Amino acid sequence: MDNNFRNHQQIYELIKRRRNQILVHSYIYFRLFDNIISDETFDKWANELIDLQKQYPDISSQVELYETFKSFTSVGCSSMLPLDNEKLATRAYQLLNEHHKRNSN
């Protein structure tokens, strides 16, 4: 496999993962008034995403949720993300329930 393709794919997958993580953890924080990761972890992920989107705008524009995150330029932007999505809510509840089960034992 071509290294450029592999690097492109790794960047693509990391942007996709970070966008999904930011969304689901924003939902947990802003809608469910809870959290399962530290503020430091959230900030790290958010800043990494911001840097990746700046460094690789062509790849970023090809990844799902591009429109949602194209104006995501600071950690504070997470409070303005659209969180009205049934799939997102389901995933957030699943993660939160798993977290509480693990921590209650």
Side-chain angles (χ1 to χ4, degrees):
M1 181 183 296
D2 180 347
N3 277 343
N4 285 335
F5 175 77
R6 187 171 58 225
N7 289 340
H8 176 93
Q9 191 63 30
Q10 289 171 333
I11 293 163
Y12 180 99
E13 290 299 326
L14 184 54
I15 291 171
K16 180 179 175 181
R17 184 177 337 120
R18 291 295 181 246
R19 285 179 180 171
N20 282 299
Q21 289 170 319
I22 296 298
L23 270 179
V24 76
H25 289 285
S26 292
Y27 189 94
I28 291 169
Y29 186 81
F30 292 110
R31 294 294 167 89
L32 304 179
F33 307 104
D34 207 338
N35 65 331
I36 59 177
I37 61 170
S38 68
D39 289 346
E40 292 81 15
T41 297
F42 185 90
D43 292 352
K44 178 183 166 200
W45 289 348
N47 286 318
E48 183 178 32
L49 176 60
I50 292 163
D51 291 344
L52 286 166
Q53 292 182 146
K54 284 180 189 173
Q55 285 182 287
Y56 306 100
D58 293 342
I59 298 173
S60 176
S61 68
Q62 297 169 15
V63 180
E64 68 184 54
L65 299 170
Y66 170 72
E67 288 298 319
T68 300
F69 280 89
K70 70 180 179 182
S71 298
F72 190 81
T73 57
S74 73
V75 174
C77 291
S78 60
S79 64
M80 294 180 276
L81 291 171
L83 301 176
D84 296 325
N85 177 303
E86 188 174 327
K87 184 179 174 184
L88 172 62
T90 299
R91 184 65 185 134
Y93 278 106
Q94 287 172 337
L95 282 174
L96 192 58
N97 286 333
E98 290 171 18
H99 174 75
H100 288 307
K101 282 180 190 175
R102 274 194 307 263
N103 290 325
S104 67
N105 293 332

